[in-house]
Amino acid sequence: MLIMMAAVLLPSMAQEVEVVSRQRLLEGVEGPAYYPVLNQAGDRLLFLSENGSLKFYDLTDNVTTTVTDGYVAGNDACWGGDGKVYFVTQQVQENHLIYRTGQLFDPTTHKTAQLTEPQHGAVRAVAASRGGALKAPGGRDYQSQSDIGSAAWTEGNRVHVTVNGEERVFTPVDSWAGYLWASLSPDGKKVAFFAAGKGIVVIDLRGQMLAMLGNYEMPCWYNNDYLVAQNAKDDGHQFTSSQIVLLKADGTWQTELTKPASMAMQPTCGGGKIVYTTIDGLLHEMKINIYE
């Protein structure tokens, strides 16, 4: 009887989250900032300025550096496992087609290197546990070394996962407009991604579905058990609300970290920190405690 009662009560036991601190970043120093990307340690941050230039902010030294004045689209920059920045610039050429170029920035030397020739078609910057890669059409890829470790990325309605040098391709759910925002959990055992029309999906390294977390966007792993995501609403023309939410990776629990009226969006996680921006491009850093 006691075991049966425990089994009934366990799912309803409330978890609690405490927001320990919340602060503005780069207030009065930078203009609007979008698409922030924290490194794993949480001490370095990439972000895009209003005109699409890519910048790098060292949270320890409180110094901001321009990586490139070229145009970088949202989600086209990432931190590699080697601590370097892999990114893609875009340029419209005479034929009115967009050409994309894969590049590398070293925060230690502040030097930039071109990794791929300008090419028409999608070029994706992919973070990996031992470095980074650029996925390009026609097999014109680049990777930092022969074995980049573990990685995850999406192409159309497929999620690609590299494990121990082996590439696996999965289509665990139907999606009318494809997948976005794939990432590995910190321990490399799970993959989360967004499927249009379905929401956030969590799978294992064999492509087996573990959970569906709801129709939220831009998932990022807070730790191995929790993800942070954006919950945005619109009227077909503009955003009407947007907030940051915390989701348990098994799909059993969720809570809001900001109110819908905050217009908070585009979260990123690293080193126990959560950084997000607002619709006006105001960067914020948040720290939380989770009690179970």
Side-chain angles (χ1 to χ4, degrees):
M1 180 67 71
L2 289 174
I3 293 174
M4 291 177 63
M5 290 177 64
V8 171
L9 292 174
L10 185 59
S12 63
M13 291 176 65
Q15 295 174 263
E16 294 183 7
V17 173
E18 175 191 11
V19 177
V20 178
S21 66
R22 194 195 316 262
Q23 64 174 328
R24 277 278 307 276
L25 295 179
L26 299 174
E27 185 174 6
V29 178
E30 290 287 336
Y34 299 97
Y35 295 97
V37 183
L38 277 169
N39 66 349
Q40 189 173 17
D43 59 359
R44 291 178 168 181
L45 180 75
L46 300 172
F47 65 92
L48 298 180
S49 66
E50 197 168 22
N51 64 4
S53 62
L54 179 64
K55 296 188 175 183
F56 150 58
Y57 174 48
D58 190 314
L59 281 76
T60 303
D61 297 337
N62 196 30
V63 174
T64 303
T65 302
T66 298
V67 175
T68 178
D69 288 321
Y71 181 79
V72 178
N75 300 305
D76 272 354
C78 67
W79 292 99
D82 52 7
K84 298 177 181 179
V85 179
Y86 295 80
F87 65 99
V88 180
T89 54
Q90 297 186 11
Q91 185 177 27
V92 180
Q93 298 196 359
E94 295 179 357
N95 51 13
H96 302 294
L97 295 177
I98 296 175
Y99 282 77
R100 297 173 176 85
T101 304
Q103 304 198 52
L104 171 72
F105 172 76
D106 188 335
T108 302
T109 63
H110 285 202
K111 292 184 178 180
T112 300
Q114 181 176 316
L115 302 180
T116 67
E117 293 299 320
Q119 52 194 292
H120 179 56
V123 179
R124 297 173 179 84
V126 175
S129 60
R130 298 194 187 102
L134 294 156
K135 299 297 179 179
R140 291 170 290 179
D141 297 346
Y142 169 89
Q143 59 184 47
S144 55
Q145 55 190 41
S146 58
D147 181 6
I148 57 174
S150 302
W153 70 97
T154 62
E155 289 183 0
N157 64 343
R158 299 180 302 276
V159 57
H160 296 248
V161 182
T162 298
V163 181
N164 297 324
E166 174 193 1
E167 184 175 326
R168 308 169 185 179
V169 184
F170 307 117
T171 306
V173 295
D174 293 329
S175 176
W176 60 273
Y179 302 164
L180 291 170
W181 304 309
S183 62
L184 284 163
S185 58
D187 62 7
K189 295 181 179 180
K190 297 185 288 287
V191 177
F193 64 93
F194 171 83
K198 298 295 177 65
I200 298 173
V201 181
V202 180
I203 61 174
D204 64 18
L205 301 184
R206 299 171 298 171
Q208 299 299 306
M209 190 183 303
L210 300 177
M212 297 188 70
L213 307 187
N215 196 23
Y216 307 108
E217 307 91 26
M218 302 191 73
C220 59
W221 290 94
Y222 177 74
N223 58 27
N224 293 319
D225 300 312
Y226 290 89
L227 295 104
V228 175
Q230 163 187 297
N231 180 26
K233 308 296 182 185
D234 64 79
D235 60 9
H237 301 283
Q238 60 185 3
F239 288 113
T240 56
S241 69
S242 188
Q243 65 181 146
I244 305 302
V245 295
L246 180 70
L247 311 169
K248 195 162 187 181
D250 62 6
T252 60
W253 181 84
Q254 61 190 54
T255 192
E256 64 179 23
L257 295 178
T258 68
K259 297 296 182 182
S262 67
M263 299 304 284
M265 54 186 61
Q266 301 169 1
T268 179
C269 303
K273 301 175 183 176
I274 301 166
V275 172
Y276 59 89
T277 190
T278 66
I279 196 168
D280 297 321
L282 307 181
L283 281 177
H284 294 262
E285 178 193 290
M286 177 191 296
K287 294 180 181 178
I288 62 174
N289 280 336
I290 302 172
Y291 303 99
E292 301 190 56

